[in-house]
Amino acid sequence: MTDSTTAEDRIAALTRNVEGYEVGASVSIIRESTDVAGSGPRLHRHPYRETFVIQRGRALFTIGDTEREGRAGDVLAVPAGVAHKFVVLGPERYEAVHIHENDRFVTEWLE
């Protein structure tokens, strides 16, 4: 990547999405990897459960009315319909697999 590459470009380049219907699966996956502290999705919810398997780094998760720091080795599950977001804390790279229990991504953005 060039020196003119933005943080958003770096995030997009390292995030991989696979919708289950594309591969005959009943779940969809986001593989996320970023070194951009402060990045993360804005508040949203899904009509199905989402599970975060954190492989490396740290992020501050807001799940409903609760805030929790997720670290490497943690697994966090967000129930269907519950608003959530996270912010990468850094300084180390955040790497995780986000499992959506649906064969397509369905997201309602709340902010």
Side-chain angles (χ1 to χ4, degrees):
M1 293 189 200
T2 68
D3 290 339
S4 63
T5 303
T6 67
E8 291 160 352
D9 292 336
R10 291 192 344 247
I11 292 167
L14 296 171
T15 299
R16 304 287 183 254
N17 300 336
V18 176
E19 288 189 283
Y21 79 91
E22 298 172 327
V23 295
S26 61
V27 298
S28 297
I29 302 290
I30 297 173
R31 289 183 53 203
E32 184 143 4
S33 178
T34 182
D35 62 355
V36 181
S39 65
R42 61 192 193 278
L43 192 67
H44 64 284
R45 65 181 162 207
H46 312 285
Y48 48 79
R49 181 181 5 243
E50 181 176 7
T51 302
F52 297 87
V53 181
I54 304 169
Q55 298 167 312
R56 183 177 176 188
R58 305 176 306 131
L60 180 62
F61 286 79
T62 301
I63 301 172
D65 295 330
T66 303
E67 283 192 341
R68 175 175 176 201
E69 184 176 320
R71 297 175 166 270
D74 288 347
V75 176
L76 306 174
V78 178
V82 173
H84 59 284
K85 65 181 179 178
F86 69 88
V87 176
V88 174
L89 295 174
E92 64 276 357
R93 174 173 293 283
Y94 171 80
E95 293 182 359
V97 176
H98 307 173
I99 304 164
H100 291 241
E101 292 185 14
N102 200 47
D103 70 344
R104 296 174 192 267
F105 296 116
V106 179
T107 304
E108 177 185 2
W109 295 103
L110 304 171
E111 60 179 28

